[in-house]
Amino acid sequence: MKIAVIGTGYVGLVSGTCLAEVGHDVVCVDIDEAKVARLKKGDIPIYEPGLPELVHKNHAAGRLRFVPSLHELHEPQAIFFALPTPPGGDGQADLSYVLGAAKDVAHVIKDYTVVVNKSTVPVGTHRKVREVIAAETDVPFDVVSNPEFLREGFAVSDFLQADRIVVGTSSAKARKVIEELYYPFTSEGVPLLVMDEASSEMTKYAANSFLATKISFMNEIANMCELVGANVDNVREGVGSDPRIGNRFLYAGIGYGGSCFPKDVLALHQAASLYDYDFKILTAVMDVNDRQKKILVQKVVKHFGENLDGKTFAVWGLAFKPDTDDIREAPALEIIRELVGRGARVQAFDPEAAENTKRIFPDIAYAASAPEALQGADALLVATEWKEFLAVAPKVLAQHLKSKMVFDGRNIFEADAMEKAGLQYFSMGRG
């Protein structure tokens, strides 16, 4: 099938590449001509494991192309929207990119086309997109909702080995096109869940909000564990073994970040307010997460005092999670902001996200490796659970840290090993 994907961010580039991988003819459109030029040269603008190899492979095979204009499309059967929907001033999703693309698409379609909204959008957006296109053209079309469920760091495998494909459409003709488009996946056993458009749009927000709720709930349990002397690792094992609950998203830490959870929880909360509905659980989830991002610095202040002038802290991890260079809403940013605001000097390291962080904090020090960040530091703060941090032995930490203190916001180290190395070790919810 001939497919177009508008937008080459995380969702658009991964989706377009993976659809090409299963044999479709895919054209990715982005108005950023410099970005398009980079992609044509094989220069991938985002860090996503496994993606560069697939982009190079399918681009070389002619199944994946990159263009800066919709006018270079050749009558695609389906056009995917993979555009940003950032929070507006009131917290609601900003649909300007999506609706702008809808207007542009209306002027390039020549025959029946299925417009597939893969962007995360409020319930009812399918109607707005349909109205915008219909006002500009008499060419027949349908608008389908097809939310993405991609995890940064695992996006390629999440697309190619999806656990489900959710589609919202009330059109039998559009459904037939979508079934053909996704046949390479459904023929391998991936369930295609077809529902009405509004339910499909709500499914995306409900999924992300529920996962964010699990994270915030477990962080509250971790905080309680510290007060009563329990160990959150044991609690997680006991709770997660219950099949009604499951063991994923139950790790204690310093809060969630990224491009999805903060934005989607806020958007659903704000959408509820439009209907005068007080979504109390989401209010609590956001409050807990905001507080959790500050909790590691609170532990630091408890031991070093409110004024951190003259102190140097190593910060390991800048991305909101490992295996990505995405720093949007990353807890590390709040940690650095708090430390610097109290007069401290920060030496940071992240395997992939340093360049992105330099745009926000150009004046802090950036190390070339995790051990280098320890040089001359009073204490270490762990903000992201990159696996390579585990390769640094506790005795190395003890040799370099002046105050021999480690504040582990992701519980990546074992308390016994740290104590044997002579370190004071502060983790999350371990009593």
Side-chain angles (χ1 to χ4, degrees), residues 12-229:
L13 188 54
V14 171
S15 299
T17 302
C18 291
L19 288 171
E21 174 68 10
V22 297
H24 294 302
D25 179 7
V26 180
V27 178
C28 291
V29 185
D30 201 299
I31 60 173
D32 186 339
E33 294 189 14
K35 190 176 184 182
V36 169
R38 288 179 62 187
L39 287 165
K40 286 181 176 179
K41 294 177 182 177
D43 183 7
I44 311 304
I46 59 175
Y47 177 77
E48 184 63 39
L51 183 60
E53 295 84 353
L54 290 186
V55 171
H56 298 157
K57 170 187 172 184
N58 287 282
H59 186 254
R63 291 190 299 269
L64 181 63
R65 290 172 289 137
F66 302 99
V67 300
S69 171
L70 287 172
H71 294 287
E72 297 188 46
L73 300 181
H74 299 292
E75 300 184 23
Q77 294 157 277
I79 300 177
F80 283 76
F81 287 1
L83 295 157
T85 54
D90 57 359
Q92 297 183 56
D94 180 356
L95 295 178
S96 58
Y97 294 104
V98 171
L99 298 181
K103 187 172 183 178
D104 292 339
V105 160
H107 296 286
V108 298
I109 57 176
K110 306 298 183 184
D111 199 355
Y112 175 76
T113 307
V114 176
V115 176
V116 185
N117 200 346
K118 212 150 188 63
S119 303
T120 301
V121 295
V123 177
T125 300
H126 62 282
R127 288 192 294 270
K128 294 180 180 180
V129 171
R130 185 180 297 117
E131 290 167 0
V132 169
I133 298 175
E136 301 289 330
T137 184
D138 293 326
V139 176
F141 69 94
D142 276 310
V143 177
V144 169
S145 172
N146 177 214
E148 53 85 15
F149 300 98
L150 306 178
R151 298 169 296 162
E152 291 185 35
F154 302 90
V156 171
S157 60
D158 283 349
F159 198 105
L160 293 176
Q161 289 95 40
D163 49 20
R164 83 283 202 198
I165 299 170
V166 174
V167 173
T169 182
S170 53
S171 163
K173 190 173 183 180
R175 176 171 180 163
K176 186 176 180 180
V177 171
I178 293 297
E179 286 176 343
E180 181 182 349
L181 191 154
Y182 280 119
Y183 179 74
F185 303 93
T186 57
S187 64
E188 297 294 326
V190 178
L192 181 70
L193 309 180
V194 181
M195 58 190 72
D196 62 277
E197 295 90 339
S199 295
S200 176
E201 291 167 335
M202 179 60 85
T203 296
K204 169 65 174 181
Y205 280 114
N208 279 355
S209 295
F210 183 76
L211 295 176
T213 300
K214 288 184 74 173
I215 292 170
S216 284
F217 176 80
M218 207 59 192
N219 283 334
E220 289 281 70
I221 292 296
N223 296 338
M224 278 294 298
C225 284
E226 292 190 5
L227 295 175
V228 303

Side-chain angles (χ1 to χ4, degrees), residues 331-372:
L333 304 185
E334 184 64 30
I335 289 171
I336 293 172
R337 193 172 290 114
E338 288 279 325
L339 292 174
V340 171
R342 295 175 183 274
R345 183 175 184 272
V346 172
Q347 298 175 175
F349 171 72
D350 188 284
E352 297 294 337
E355 290 302 315
N356 290 337
T357 310
K358 287 177 183 177
R359 292 195 288 266
I360 300 175
F361 297 109
D363 298 326
I364 69 171
Y366 292 90
S369 67
E372 183 181 306

Side-chain angles (χ1 to χ4, degrees), residues 168 241 247 356 431:
S241 60
N247 57 15
N356 290 337

Side-chain angles (χ1 to χ4, degrees), residues 215-216 219 252-257 288-289 292-293 320 329 331 409-410:
I215 292 170
S216 284
N219 283 334
I254 48 177
Y256 58 77
V288 169
N289 198 59
Q292 203 70 14
K293 288 183 177 183
F320 83 95
E329 303 288 339
R410 299 298 184 183

Side-chain angles (χ1 to χ4, degrees), residues 272-292:
S273 68
L274 296 177
Y275 294 89
D276 296 322
Y277 184 73
D278 184 7
F279 211 139
K280 294 182 183 295
I281 289 178
L282 294 190
T283 301
V285 167
M286 292 186 290
D287 289 345
V288 169
N289 198 59
D290 288 342
R291 184 181 67 200
Q292 203 70 14

